[in-house]
Amino acid sequence: MGSWPGRRATETYTRKRRFRRQKYYQAAFLVFLKKKRKMAKEKGLISPNDFAQLQKYMEYSTNKVSDVLKLFEDGDMAEYLQGDAIGYEGFQQFLKIYLEADNVPNHLSLALFQSFKMGHLEDTVKNDVVYLSDVSCYFSLLEGGRPEDKLEFTFKLYDTDRNGILDSSEVDRIIIQMMRVAEYLDWDVSELRPILQEMMKEIDYDGSGSVSLAEWLRAGATTVPLLVLLGLEMTLKDNGQHLWRPKRFPRPVYCNLCESSIGLGKQGLSCNLCKYVVHDQCAMKALPCEVSTYAKSRKDIGVQSHVWVRGGCESGRCDRCQKKIRIYHSLVGLHCVWCHLEIHDDCLQAMGHECDCGLLRDHILPPSSIYPSVLASGQERKTSKTSQKTMDDLHLSTFEALRIDPVSNTHPLLVFVNPKSGGKQGERVLWKFQYLLNPRQVFNLLKDGPEPGLRFFRDVPGCRILVCGGDGTVGWILETIDKANMPVVPPVAVLPLGTGNDLARCLRWGGGYEGQNLGKILKDLEMSKVVHMDRWSVEVIPQQTEEKSDPVPFQIINNYFSIGVDASIAHRFHIMREKYPEKFNSRMKNKLWYFEFATSESIFSTCKKLEESLTVEICGKPLDLSSLSLEGIAVLNIPSMHGGSNLWGDTKRPPGDTHGINQALGTTAKVITDPDILKTCVPDLSDKRLEVVGLEGAIEMGQIYTKLKNAGHRLAKCSEITFHTTKTLPMQIDGEPWMQTPCTIKITHKNQMPMLVGPPPRSSNFFGFLC
């Protein structure tokens, strides 16, 4: 050991060194802080990575902003208040309580604090303060809830003197908040402030110079940019975040960041929007996503440019020079995320600046066709306001802060995807369409349902709808379109992802998607034709009995309705699938279970002598069933049930008859019961008539399903039908079964919906009536 003077000298040197190091770190921190503040001031709000990290914290937190706010106003946190503001220490306490996290990363706390900061660059963190109302408003807007409630909450936050009105200074603070959100959304804000000031003046409907709560709430229903620029519509942000998904690569792929191989069969991350590929560990360092889904300044409106991303050249051939894009153990080639061209690096200079969106241009809404409505010219905004009619119409457009001006002579496609349909297929289809089209055209039905998509496309001329799901999903979309009261109803196509897919079969879209090229399916959609499909209202009037019925699944028939044997099999299938879903995870298993239940039904015949427990009226006239021994009756709007069974059977058209016997009979023949005429009748989903078929039992159904028998008993074609039942019977509408106590059932024509029919197959067409 050294002497005491030596140790003392060493300790003195160590203390001086530690002090110098602390001074260095403090100076470095101040430099860093100034840079961060400058960046925050220039950018407006936190970075995409910070925002993503904040959202992860919020997913696990159960606290509400309103609860935390009470602690600062009346509770234990009141000591941190400096008038209406809080300092950095108080802000850290706010985050700790709200996010239910003891250790919020310092860089995240600092970035968030700077996004609200009102101090000068020379100030230290200790001297900075932020308004508690700004902080509370921002976090409350990230929470779920009704826009009306959030508008009221926002009003109270900015009404700092609590006098029930917003004066000019309080309105100015709201404009500052909206400018911040606009910068975060990366909008062009150079001309935005006067627009916002004019917009806030218009909110003062009575011209009093201040805004009341009633005027504020009314503005929320009529002034779309107000909601978005207050942060109420966070789904419209365009902040450079990748939309990652894990993916295993069956071919050599190289990381876009480090450019080293990911490895055959190895898992990496791929962005659904731009096909940027990285190792798992490289994701946090990845460059921002190149895809911008809308025009953020006026100069970008109407002109679409190529957006090139390195790699992702799956075809391996250059679209410019037609030579191979060789992979020399590195990331090579470029692909455009909009037209999907793949080129050599050397061919880039020969490519023009403008992008035409490639082979799928008829379906795509390029970013240049979508822009914030606040960036529209004054005349456009004025026209938009005068075109709004009623408060109901205004409310439908509440979340549409973006205006759509599609490319001329195109038919923008609105895509609805049910990710749960068809096992994992629905999710994969969602990912693929997010890349093939503008992500703003593709809506996940499990998130918000179809309403936001229909509102967004409400006034888009020439648009079409593609529903990716089963028959139940299609019915949901059609019903929502009914309620949306759109000025022009877009035609609907179907990409079948379910198990039955009867409607998709009849519209020539196939019995089920099996991973085919979606680009080819979209090209088929371009050649499709419109047919107006009948839809039927169902009214079930139960008799007063001690028994209780199951709830009626639908009030509208799109495909078919049935009573008896087939509904009994479907009901047993439905109950078993609800109880043991793991046993029904493939189409083959579903068919085997259906066969088992049909065999059991054929043995026990639970619906034997059905004609004794019900009567049928066709357009007010009784239908004679006395000569038949039936176990089921099916009412068909389309010629397909249970995944392809045609209970009506084939009908050969007379030579030269292009429309069938149905059109020849005209509107005078609302009821057809003559057996000879019924033999020549062709099913038609747009003739405003239903086909009625009798079934003798489960064995006959099995014979029809396996093509051993042509059809059931053709009973009638009619435009209205009524059933009267005297005992509890199984029933189903469009594949959804239930048990129904004695009742009266009335089926009448509701309306017609435009549907898209796929191009005819090259082979002989079974559903020739749709040509």
Side-chain angles (χ1 to χ4, degrees):
M1 294 179 63
S3 63
W4 168 250
R7 289 201 304 271
R8 186 175 181 182
T10 301
E11 289 175 359
T12 302
Y13 172 79
T14 303
R15 283 198 300 270
K16 288 182 178 179
R17 184 179 179 185
R18 187 182 299 121
F19 178 75
R20 286 196 300 269
R21 188 183 300 165
Q22 287 175 347
K23 294 288 287 182
Y24 169 79
Y25 285 149
Q26 287 178 1
F29 178 74
L30 287 175
V31 172
F32 169 76
L33 183 61
K34 287 183 178 181
K35 287 183 178 179
K36 290 288 285 184
R37 286 176 178 173
K38 187 175 181 181
M39 290 172 61
K41 189 173 183 180
E42 291 173 352
K43 182 64 180 172
L45 282 178
I46 61 176
S47 70
N49 287 338
D50 289 331
F51 186 77
Q53 190 172 13
L54 174 62
Q55 284 185 312
K56 287 182 179 179
Y57 274 105
M58 293 186 66
E59 286 177 8
Y60 297 101
S61 175
T62 57
N63 288 333
K64 296 292 183 183
V65 168
S66 55
D67 299 329
V68 183
L69 202 58
K70 289 178 182 177
L71 294 176
F72 277 85
E73 293 176 344
D74 308 313
D76 299 336
M77 299 292 111
E79 61 182 285
Y80 293 101
L81 276 178
Q82 303 177 33
D84 294 330
I86 56 174
Y88 185 61
E89 188 177 356
F91 182 76
Q92 286 180 308
Q93 291 297 320
F94 184 99
L95 290 182
K96 181 178 178 180
I97 298 170
Y98 179 60
L99 300 179
E100 295 182 303
D102 292 331
N103 297 308
V104 179
N106 189 60
H107 74 87
L108 179 61
S109 301
L110 185 62
L112 286 167
F113 186 75
Q114 288 171 334
S115 69
F116 299 108
K117 190 181 68 63
M118 302 172 298
H120 300 286
L121 290 178
E122 300 79 32
D123 295 338
T124 64
V125 169
K126 287 187 177 180
N127 294 331
D128 282 347
V129 292
V130 296
Y131 280 120
L132 185 60
S133 59
D134 280 357
V135 176
S136 303
C137 181
Y138 179 77
F139 285 109
S140 71
L141 297 175
L142 296 180
E143 295 175 355
R146 298 189 315 144
E148 295 84 354
D149 296 335
K150 291 188 176 185
L151 280 167
E152 186 171 356
F153 180 64
T154 308
F155 183 90
K156 291 178 180 177
L157 282 174
Y158 283 97
D159 181 19
T160 52
D161 53 12
R162 303 292 187 269
N163 64 350
I165 59 173
L166 299 175
D167 57 30
S168 58
S169 63
E170 291 164 340
V171 168
D172 285 342
R173 284 190 55 210
I174 292 175
I175 291 176
I176 292 172
Q177 170 69 9
M178 289 193 288
M179 289 288 290
R180 285 178 173 175
V181 176
E183 289 177 341
Y184 177 71
L185 294 173
D186 202 19
W187 289 3
D188 180 3
V189 297
S190 58
E191 302 177 9
L192 188 58
R193 183 178 287 275
I195 295 174
L196 294 180
Q197 290 173 335
E198 183 65 26
M199 185 179 75
M200 296 303 286
K201 284 182 182 179
E202 292 174 354
I203 290 174
D204 179 17
Y205 295 103
D206 59 8
S208 62
S210 59
V211 178
S212 67
L213 177 59
E215 290 173 325
W216 181 254
L217 294 176
R218 180 183 173 187
T222 60
T223 311
V224 175
L226 177 65
L227 289 174
V228 177
L229 293 177
L230 281 173
L232 282 169
E233 180 49 47
M234 298 306 294
T235 59
L236 294 182
K237 63 182 181 295
D238 226 34
N239 58 8
Q241 281 184 270
H242 289 280
L243 194 59
W244 297 119
R245 67 178 175 94
K247 183 177 180 181
R248 292 193 180 275
F249 301 98
R251 58 183 183 80
V253 171
Y254 294 86
C255 175
N256 276 75
L257 186 72
C258 68
E259 298 204 6
S260 62
S261 174
I262 292 179
L264 287 175
K266 301 293 184 180
Q267 179 175 293
L269 294 175
S270 175
C271 175
N272 288 344
L273 309 183
C274 67
K275 295 298 181 184
Y276 195 93
V277 174
V278 291
H279 294 97
D280 291 355
Q281 64 269 22
C282 292
M284 295 301 292
K285 303 175 185 177
L287 295 173
C289 183
E290 296 286 346
V291 174
S292 177
T293 60
Y294 62 94
K296 295 164 185 173
S297 63
R298 287 179 179 170
K299 63 182 176 58
D300 295 327
I301 297 174
V303 180
Q304 182 56 43
S305 303
H306 285 292
V307 176
W308 299 107
V309 176
R310 184 161 298 283
C313 300
E314 297 181 0
S315 70
R317 186 172 295 276
C318 177
D319 289 306
R320 173 70 176 80
C321 66
Q322 301 304 314
K323 295 179 181 179
K324 286 187 177 181
I325 301 175
R326 299 186 183 276
I327 301 175
Y328 296 106
H329 304 290
S330 64
L331 192 68
V332 296
L334 299 164
H335 76 276
C336 175
V337 299
W338 294 111
C339 65
H340 307 127
L341 287 178
E342 300 174 1
I343 61 171
H344 291 105
D345 293 48
D346 296 339
C347 291
L348 180 60
Q349 292 183 348
M351 299 297 295
H353 179 71
E354 190 171 337
C355 177
D356 66 356
C357 292
L359 296 176
L360 302 180
R361 66 178 67 88
D362 189 52
H363 304 289
I364 295 176
L365 269 178
S368 59
S369 294
I370 309 174
Y371 55 95
S373 55
V374 291
L375 297 183
S377 66
Q379 183 61 36
E380 285 180 306
R381 290 198 302 276
K382 186 176 180 181
T383 304
S384 175
K385 288 181 181 179
T386 56
S387 66
Q388 295 172 326
K389 299 177 182 178
T390 65
M391 188 61 70
D392 290 338
D393 291 336
L394 293 169
H395 190 69
L396 287 171
S397 300
T398 297
F399 293 103
E400 293 176 25
L402 298 179
R403 179 165 299 184
I404 299 176
D405 185 13
V407 178
S408 60
N409 300 318
T410 63
H411 302 84
L413 190 64
L414 169 60
V415 181
F416 292 115
V417 183
N418 185 347
K420 286 190 175 181
S421 293
K424 289 284 186 180
Q425 284 184 327
E427 193 173 37
R428 287 192 289 267
V429 166
L430 177 69
W431 295 338
K432 291 178 181 178
F433 275 127
Q434 284 175 332
Y435 175 70
L436 290 175
L437 307 173
N438 191 321
R440 292 184 179 272
Q441 297 177 245
V442 186
F443 288 81
N444 183 339
L445 290 172
L446 296 186
K447 280 192 172 182
D448 303 304
E451 290 87 355
L454 293 175
R455 288 198 295 266
F456 188 43
F457 272 67
R458 178 178 173 80
D459 298 313
V460 178
C463 70
R464 295 182 288 209
I465 295 175
L466 177 63
V467 181
C468 306
D471 286 344
T473 303
V474 178
W476 178 22
I477 300 299
L478 296 183
E479 186 176 359
T480 308
I481 293 174
D482 263 345
K483 296 177 181 177
N485 193 28
M486 301 179 77
V488 177
V489 178
V492 179
V494 183
L495 181 66
L497 299 180
T499 53
N501 304 315
D502 291 294
L503 181 57
R505 294 171 193 271
C506 295
L507 296 174
R508 298 200 196 111
W509 298 114
Y513 175 72
E514 297 291 352
Q516 298 96 318
N517 187 315
L518 290 180
K520 182 181 181 304
I521 292 174
L522 292 180
K523 295 303 290 184
D524 286 344
L525 201 149
E526 288 183 34
M527 297 183 287
S528 62
K529 296 181 180 179
V530 177
V531 61
H532 289 82
M533 183 183 75
D534 295 322
R535 302 174 73 237
W536 303 82
S537 297
V538 181
E539 183 183 8
V540 179
I541 307 170
Q543 298 178 14
Q544 291 186 350
T545 61
E546 295 182 357
E547 293 183 82
K548 287 188 177 180
S549 298
D550 298 332
V552 180
F554 304 123
Q555 281 74 49
I556 296 172
I557 299 172
N558 294 311
N559 298 354
Y560 53 82
F561 166 85
S562 68
I563 300 176
V565 57
D566 64 317
S568 177
I569 297 170
H571 188 253
R572 295 178 64 186
F573 181 92
H574 178 76
I575 291 175
M576 184 64 74
R577 185 168 59 179
E578 290 287 311
K579 193 173 183 180
Y580 305 106
E582 70 279 1
K583 296 182 179 181
F584 296 80
N585 55 9
S586 73
R587 287 178 184 151
M588 182 56 68
K589 285 184 180 180
N590 291 349
K591 289 182 178 181
L592 291 174
W593 277 108
Y594 198 88
F595 178 76
E596 180 178 329
F597 294 139
T599 304
S600 176
E601 179 64 32
S602 66
I603 296 172
F604 294 104
S605 299
T606 59
C607 301
K608 196 172 183 179
K609 296 183 179 180
L610 181 66
E611 66 277 2
E612 295 179 1
S613 55
L614 67 76
T615 58
V616 184
E617 293 180 5
I618 305 293
C619 296
K621 298 179 181 179
L623 184 65
D624 184 12
L625 302 176
S626 59
S627 60
L628 301 171
S629 179
L630 302 177
E631 292 188 26
I633 294 179
V635 179
L636 310 176
N637 187 47
I638 62 174
S640 180
M641 287 181 68
H642 313 308
S645 295
N646 182 11
L647 300 187
W648 186 257
D650 295 340
T651 302
K652 292 183 179 180
R653 300 184 185 213
D657 182 13
T658 57
H659 297 286
I661 191 69
N662 313 325
Q663 285 77 8
L665 290 169
T667 57
T668 57
K670 291 185 177 180
V671 180
I672 305 172
T673 55
D674 187 306
D676 293 330
I677 298 179
L678 288 174
K679 287 179 182 179
T680 61
C681 285
V682 177
D684 189 338
L685 50 74
S686 59
D687 65 353
K688 298 184 181 179
R689 296 188 185 90
L690 294 162
E691 288 76 41
V692 185
V693 181
L695 300 169
E696 292 181 349
I699 294 177
E700 183 184 44
M701 281 189 57
Q703 291 173 334
I704 297 172
Y705 187 76
T706 56
K707 313 298 183 188
L708 295 176
K709 187 174 181 180
N710 183 41
H713 293 270
R714 298 185 181 184
L715 300 178
K717 276 183 71 76
C718 60
S719 57
E720 185 179 319
I721 186 168
T722 302
F723 294 95
H724 302 280
T725 64
T726 57
K727 73 173 187 178
T728 300
L729 291 170
M731 303 181 184
Q732 68 170 330
I733 297 175
D734 292 354
E736 291 293 325
W738 82 101
M739 296 298 293
Q740 178 63 51
T741 57
C743 66
T744 298
I745 301 170
K746 296 182 179 180
I747 301 176
T748 55
H749 192 266
K750 175 180 174 61
N751 60 17
Q752 290 187 325
M753 185 65 65
M755 306 295 291
L756 288 169
V757 181
R762 295 173 184 173
S763 58
S764 59
N765 181 25
F766 179 74
F767 300 112
F769 65 92
L770 288 171
C771 292

